[in-house]
Amino acid sequence: MTAVELIIKQLYEYIRKSAHNELSTIRTGEFRIGLRKAIDFCEQAKEMEKQQHGQTWDAAIKAHDNRGHVHARSLVDFDEYYEQQFKK
């Protein structure tokens, strides 16, 4: 789980608690809408993070190719690698 995914999970839990009056202060539907917007921002950040990992992956493969090494992409695709590393 990435840090951004952890934040998203925590925001969803806060929305759930707010909807069930489990928070010590009164929260409105408007409050939950604000949290939902925060989740949308986090989802955007998560996608950017994945793209950055992919760019790093591609640069590493290119560097290995330029040195004549067998590159990692032949062993595992980036999307598969990302899922293995961050979707535990």
Side-chain angles (χ1 to χ4, degrees):
M1 178 179 294
T2 68
V4 175
E5 289 170 330
L6 176 62
I7 292 169
I8 291 169
K9 182 179 177 182
Q10 290 172 335
L11 288 171
Y12 274 122
E13 179 61 14
Y14 210 70
I15 289 171
R16 186 198 67 73
K17 285 181 178 181
S18 173
H20 292 93
N21 296 320
E22 295 176 13
L23 300 174
S24 60
T25 58
I26 297 173
R27 302 291 183 199
T28 65
E30 188 174 296
F31 172 77
R32 288 187 291 278
I33 290 169
L35 289 177
R36 182 65 224 163
K37 188 64 177 173
I39 290 170
D40 292 343
F41 292 144
C42 289
E43 292 287 355
Q44 292 173 4
K46 184 173 80 170
E47 186 57 34
M48 289 173 59
E49 185 178 64
K50 184 176 180 182
Q51 289 174 1
Q52 290 170 346
H53 281 286
Q55 290 168 353
T56 302
W57 179 273
D58 290 341
I61 289 171
K62 184 176 180 182
H64 282 276
D65 285 347
N66 290 340
R67 287 183 259 155
H69 295 103
V70 175
H71 54 77
R73 192 178 279 282
S74 65
L75 301 175
V76 63
D77 180 65
F78 172 73
D79 289 328
E80 182 181 334
Y81 166 80
Y82 188 88
E83 292 295 317
Q84 289 173 355
Q85 294 299 309
F86 299 108
K87 301 297 180 180
K88 295 178 181 177

